[in-house]
């Protein structure tokens, strides 16, 4: 009895193992390669799949989602013989599980080596300055070459990115000095432009101010001259309207003499020749008392120059 039980147990275990090997569940976005006696038979897609136990075997399970693979820095020589280290990141996706399994031994390693050789070809035709400023061009060229080469492997390269381009330390120091000098140059140019613009604006302001000041002075002088002319006309018209006689004019003449002699700086002043006529008119105005103004004689008037009145 014990032997029969053991045989039954063995059969149950074998049936269970057969059932497990027969039913294959493939996750979403995955694929499995099935071989029969070592030869490719079919590719299992996502879901429940039935295979022949002990005859069919699962060779490889492949993730069909987009993958991101960073590669370590690779030394690359530029056209001007400078060594730069470039970090790359590859975004790829398996489109054919069978080709990815049988066309290449390790598609990750193949993509890495192909990336390195393609980078060296591309960067070898560029100088350092162009390499640092042409990342988009390098990415596009690298992606085109990789996508064409990996197509037969069942791989599609979606994107290639250069994470970093690191030139030698000495070159970095020189570039920093060059950039610092360029920034100092731009700052000096901007400062000079600001000073020049400020001087121009200041000169324009002074010019405009001088023009306005001159116009104001010219108008003020014109107004003063016009006012003085009007005053002279008014006085002249008033004098003519009053019809002054010789006596009044002589009196006004004498009133002006003290104003002429005012001031410490007036060491010398001139008595006009008409003063004699004025004094005669004034003496006549006071009447014939004493024969004229008492004690007043034209000879007593100090003068720097005396002129006899003209004889009619």
């Amino acid at each position: 009895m014990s032997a029969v039980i053991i045989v039954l147990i063995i059969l149950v275990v074998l049936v269970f193992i057969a059932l497990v090997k027969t039913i294959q569940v493939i996750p979403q976005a995955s694929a499995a390669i099935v071989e029969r006696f070592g030869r490719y038979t079919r590719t299992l897609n996502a879901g429940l799949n039935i295979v022949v136990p002990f005859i069919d075997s699962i060779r490889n399970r492949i993730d069909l989602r987009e993958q991101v693979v960073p590669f370590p820095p690779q030394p690359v020589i530029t056209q001007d013989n400078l060594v730069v280290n470039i970090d790359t990141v590859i975004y790829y996706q398996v489109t054919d599980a069978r080709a990815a399994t049988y066309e290449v031994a390790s598609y990750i390693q193949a993509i890495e080596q192909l990336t390195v050789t393609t980078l060296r070809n591309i960067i070898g035709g560029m100088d350092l300055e162009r390499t640092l400023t042409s990342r988009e061009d390098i990415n596009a060229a690298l992606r085109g070459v990789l996508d064409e080469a990996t197509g037969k492997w069942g791989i599609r390269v979606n994107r290639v990115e250069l994470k970093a381009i690191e030139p030698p330390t000495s070159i970095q120091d020189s570039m920093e000095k060059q950039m610092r000098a360029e920034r100092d140059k731009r700052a000096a140019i901007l400062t000079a432009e600001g000073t020049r613009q400020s001087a121009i604006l200041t000169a324009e302001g002074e010019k405009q101010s001088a023009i306005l000041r001159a116009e104001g002075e010219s108008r003020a002088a014109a107004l003063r001259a016009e006012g003085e002319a009007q005053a002279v006309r008014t006085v002249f018209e008033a004098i003519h309207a009053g019809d002054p006689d010789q006596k009044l004019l002589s009196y006004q003449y004498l009133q002006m003499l003290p104003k002429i002699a005012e001031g410490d700086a007036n060491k010398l002043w001139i008595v006009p020749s008409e003063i004699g006529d004025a004094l005669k008119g004034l003496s006549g105005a006071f009447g014939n008392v004493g024969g004229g103004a008492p004690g007043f004689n034209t000879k007593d008037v100090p003068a720097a120059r005396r002129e006899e009145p003209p004889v009619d």
Side-chain angles (χ1 to χ4, degrees), residues 69 71 88-92 107-119 122 138-162:
V69 180
F71 295 142
T88 55
V89 178
I90 304 296
Y91 296 80
Y92 74 94
Y107 56 82
I108 297 296
Q109 185 177 2
I111 291 175
E112 180 180 1
Q113 295 302 319
L114 182 60
T115 300
V116 172
T117 55
T118 305
L119 268 179
I122 296 174
I138 297 173
N139 291 340
L142 187 58
R143 179 184 177 279
V145 173
L146 290 177
D147 196 25
E148 182 180 359
T150 58
K152 63 180 180 179
W153 300 340
I155 307 294
R156 182 177 69 245
V157 177
N158 296 326
R159 190 167 55 179
V160 180
E161 295 290 341
L162 301 183

Side-chain angles (χ1 to χ4, degrees), residues 85-98:
N85 293 322
I86 300 180
D87 295 350
T88 55
V89 178
I90 304 296
Y91 296 80
Y92 74 94
Q93 187 175 10
V94 177
T95 57
D96 187 351
R98 177 182 176 279

Side-chain angles (χ1 to χ4, degrees), residues 80 126-134:
D80 46 358
M126 299 181 177
D127 56 12
L128 179 61
E129 185 175 358
R130 185 182 174 189
T131 301
L132 295 175
T133 57
S134 303

Side-chain angles (χ1 to χ4, degrees), residues 257-301:
L257 289 177
K259 294 182 179 180
I260 297 175
E262 286 180 357
D264 297 335
N266 294 332
K267 304 298 183 181
L268 178 65
W269 52 282
I270 301 172
V271 177
S273 60
E274 291 83 359
I275 192 62
D277 296 335
L279 292 178
K280 289 179 182 180
L282 183 59
S283 63
F286 284 104
N288 296 323
V289 182
F296 189 88
N297 193 343
T298 57
K299 297 180 180 181
D300 298 330
V301 179

